[in-house]
Amino acid sequence: MVTTMKVKKKSTKQRHQAHAASARHVATIVRIRKSTVKPAGGGAFTTEPIQQGSLLGFYAGGRCSYEQLPVGERRNYVMDGEAGGRDAYDPEGRLKLASGKIVNVHGWQPEQWESLEEDGIEWIGGRACWTRFINHGTSAFLNASICTTIERFGRSHAIYANRDILAGEELFFSYGKAWWKSRGLQPADPSRDYILCSRG
């Protein structure tokens, strides 16, 4: 007679603790450098493989929707969602480089990011974190998704791997059509060089 052992299902608290541990680990393996999207500034890259379903981190920031901001102060760092959006605009934040140097990258143009000789390893700020550097990608480039409700990860605006991610890849999730329409902008994809590199 063959017996099977029941695997005890994790409690909600245990699942959320595991997700939080995943986010803490990913924060240590992400590097910030010039995005592969030419018009963009900084981008977030992983230095280790990440398994599908893993929590990458939370889109941190003050609660605020794009429409709530005064016309002259609307920010491109706002992501709408449950219980109010998150505004990762962080004027006091700074990028810590691998050497330990602290750099103010606010307002940097793509050319300035190109000239950065070392990677950023941490975003030092009071309201945002490294996830503010994850750029938009269309379906062909998506490797992450954002969950704007609290049920799955215990907090809203959770960003997770929607497929296995290779070491060296830049992270992308979709900002959504409404994001681009509200700002009168058109999205851009990574460069052809990145496409060829990704395909080996």
Side-chain angles (χ1 to χ4, degrees), residues 21-199:
S22 173
R24 288 194 296 271
H25 173 68
V26 172
T28 68
I29 64 172
V30 164
R31 297 295 179 266
I32 307 302
R33 63 178 75 110
K34 172 66 181 74
S35 172
T36 56
V37 179
K38 287 186 178 180
F45 298 76
T46 177
T47 59
E48 294 180 9
I50 300 175
Q51 188 175 18
Q52 182 178 5
S54 299
L55 179 65
L56 305 179
F58 294 96
Y59 194 80
R63 290 187 178 182
C64 182
S65 72
Y66 179 78
E67 295 301 330
Q68 288 174 330
L69 293 173
V71 174
E73 298 181 15
R74 288 185 168 175
R75 313 297 189 192
N76 287 338
Y77 287 100
V78 174
M79 291 291 165
D80 286 334
E82 186 179 79
R86 292 293 182 274
D87 182 7
Y89 180 71
D90 191 5
E92 302 302 318
R94 298 292 184 267
L95 185 64
K96 181 179 180 180
L97 304 182
S99 64
K101 183 179 179 181
I102 307 299
V103 180
N104 181 359
V105 297
H106 291 291
W108 272 23
Q109 298 301 308
E111 296 77 15
Q112 291 169 286
W113 281 99
E114 292 278 9
S115 66
L116 191 64
E117 296 182 349
E118 54 182 313
D119 289 342
I121 60 171
E122 183 182 359
W123 181 254
I124 302 174
R127 53 185 291 146
C129 67
W130 70 268
T131 56
R132 72 195 300 276
F133 289 101
I134 302 180
N135 285 301
H136 168 86
T138 55
S139 58
F141 303 97
L142 293 181
N143 50 23
S145 295
I146 186 167
C147 180
T148 57
T149 60
I150 67 172
E151 288 81 11
R152 183 172 178 182
F153 296 99
R155 283 173 56 186
S156 67
H157 297 80
I159 302 171
Y160 62 96
N162 62 21
R163 63 165 173 80
D164 289 340
I165 302 175
L166 302 175
E169 282 194 69
E170 182 172 0
L171 303 175
F172 295 105
F173 71 88
S174 174
Y175 292 3
K177 291 181 180 179
W179 192 97
W180 295 97
K181 185 177 180 180
S182 66
R183 293 157 176 80
L185 301 172
Q186 291 294 323
D189 280 325
S191 68
R192 179 172 172 78
D193 291 341
Y194 174 78
I195 298 170
L196 293 174
C197 179
S198 297
R199 291 176 180 171

